[in-house]
Amino acid sequence: STKLVFTKKKDFGPKFCYFQEFRTLVVDIVLATDMSQHFQQMSQINDALNNPKELDKVKVMALIVHLADISHAAKIWKLHER
């Protein structure tokens, strides 16, 4: 819970480790939405789809967020305004 993360107590136990891991995951996924990495990311995903044993969950999550990010421009204006 967020209360455990933001307490003033200096507890660097397991919950802090989970928070750090989660934060790193979120940062990596958000950075993967950068369009300068688009073609490299598409190439990696195509390679992974040809060999499903090498599918990386983080790359798949990053791809989902990236696709949601770039597809937003295709929405009609009324939907975009909401």
Side-chain angles (χ1 to χ4, degrees):
S1 105
T2 56
K3 288 182 183 178
L4 295 172
V5 172
F6 296 110
T7 58
K8 292 182 181 181
K9 182 180 173 188
K10 301 276 185 195
D11 180 15
F12 296 110
K15 290 179 177 141
F16 181 77
C17 293
Y18 293 137
F19 172 75
Q20 290 295 94
E21 187 177 327
F22 176 73
R23 184 183 183 283
T24 301
L25 177 67
V26 170
V27 168
D28 289 345
I29 289 172
V30 169
L31 290 176
T33 63
D34 185 359
M35 285 301 292
S36 69
Q37 298 180 18
H38 176 78
F39 293 106
Q40 177 186 2
Q41 190 178 22
M42 292 298 109
S43 175
Q44 289 174 348
I45 292 298
N46 282 333
D47 293 344
L49 290 175
N50 290 331
N51 191 2
K53 290 180 183 179
E54 294 183 16
L55 267 175
D56 180 15
K57 289 181 183 181
V58 176
K59 286 182 183 178
V60 172
M61 289 187 282
L63 176 67
I64 291 168
V65 173
H66 179 64
L67 292 174
D69 183 44
I70 62 176
S71 69
H72 184 76
K75 293 181 179 179
I76 60 173
W77 184 252
K78 285 186 179 186
L79 186 57
H80 169 76
E81 281 184 315
R82 284 191 348 190

